[in-house]
Amino acid sequence: MEDEFHELTDRVRAELRSPQDLVAYERLLGLARKNTPAGREELARMLVAVERPLWAREIAAFILGCAGDKRAFETLVLLLNYRDPVRCATAAHALSRLGDPRTARAAAALATNPLRTAYALHPVRLLAELRAPQSVPALIATLERLLTPHNPYWRVALACVEGLGALGDRRAVPALTAATAHPRLAAAAAASLARLGVHEPPGDEGRGDGGGAGDPAKEGPAAAKERPGG
């Protein structure tokens, strides 16, 4: 947690706007260093206190989440779906260490929601890291929805492709095969298929130089006779 926590606190320090903010910030860092039950109780109260700045709740939720305290769950899921990608990444890191069975369901709901695709990158990556029962179906569904021409969310689709390759589930083969037709996804999709033991798109085996059934120029005499009018 050390590197991620230092990145978080350095970023938050730049957001402080008053001497009171600095005092509250230093208090949070003190609680993190002590890591006592009493300190975690204070952090948990901070998550539900009114008029607390977002950065304070973010630090408190991160500390509790990395400690496996499930009281951080709601705040971390809120941050996972936040408009700021840096906060999404911080929340995903803590959620991956929280050990709450609700995490995969929440990440899958965010990843597959077409209204939240712009913020789906970190939920997708989190699903791949969690390796939960929801992971593969959610990544397949999200990838298939994004396989449209000129889709602006190709980075989310790429994360799905990479995640499916890492998860190693052959249910992903059709979606990954379809992804090979998209220039920005083709190399990663081929690599993920290779990890699944598929080195050619299914149905291409034995098709030689690109011909196949339905192409009279590539068929033998017997096949031609079997077609109506052959």
Side-chain angles (χ1 to χ4, degrees):
M1 164 180 140
E2 283 297 318
D3 290 343
E4 292 79 8
F5 185 65
H6 287 313
E7 290 177 11
L8 167 60
T9 53
D10 287 348
R11 170 170 57 79
V12 166
R13 190 179 183 90
E15 299 179 21
L16 305 180
R17 295 293 178 264
S18 69
Q20 291 79 12
D21 284 350
L22 182 58
V23 170
Y25 171 84
E26 294 292 349
R27 173 69 177 166
L28 281 168
L29 267 57
L31 292 172
R33 285 190 290 267
K34 290 179 182 177
N35 191 28
T36 62
R40 288 193 290 276
E41 288 296 325
E42 185 172 341
L43 291 169
R45 288 194 298 271
M46 196 170 297
L47 295 179
V48 296
V50 297
E51 298 183 356
R52 288 287 185 178
L54 181 61
W55 59 260
R57 288 190 290 145
E58 181 182 10
I59 292 176
F62 183 87
I63 296 168
L64 291 171
C66 289
D69 191 318
K70 293 178 172 54
R71 290 174 292 183
F73 175 77
E74 285 81 5
T75 301
L76 290 172
V77 170
L78 173 68
L79 293 167
L80 182 66
N81 193 35
Y82 200 69
R83 63 180 177 271
D84 184 349
V86 179
R87 285 198 157 99
C88 295
T90 299
H93 178 86
L95 282 166
S96 70
R97 284 147 183 80
L98 180 59
D100 192 311
R102 297 172 293 174
T103 297
R105 292 194 295 272
L110 294 174
T112 57
N113 185 345
L115 301 179
R116 306 300 296 171
T117 305
Y119 311 106
L121 179 61
H122 291 288
V124 162
R125 289 175 175 170
L126 178 59
L127 283 167
E129 185 174 356
L130 292 173
R131 309 182 80 85
Q134 297 89 346
S135 296
V136 169
L139 295 186
I140 290 174
T142 303
L143 176 59
E144 289 176 339
R145 175 165 50 83
L146 297 177
L147 292 180
T148 56
H150 314 297
N151 193 296
Y153 304 117
W154 64 270
R155 288 182 178 85
V156 177
L158 179 60
C160 291
V161 166
E162 293 170 343
L164 289 168
L167 290 169
D169 191 312
R170 290 186 64 87
R171 287 177 292 173
V173 169
L176 290 172
T177 301
T180 61
H182 294 254
R184 283 173 162 163
L185 307 177
S192 289
L193 285 167
R195 295 180 74 172
L196 296 176
V198 179
H199 298 282
E200 293 184 63
D204 282 357
E205 293 86 355
R207 287 177 61 177
D209 58 359
D215 183 354
K218 302 299 180 182
E219 294 177 351
K225 289 179 180 178
E226 291 175 2
R227 284 200 321 276

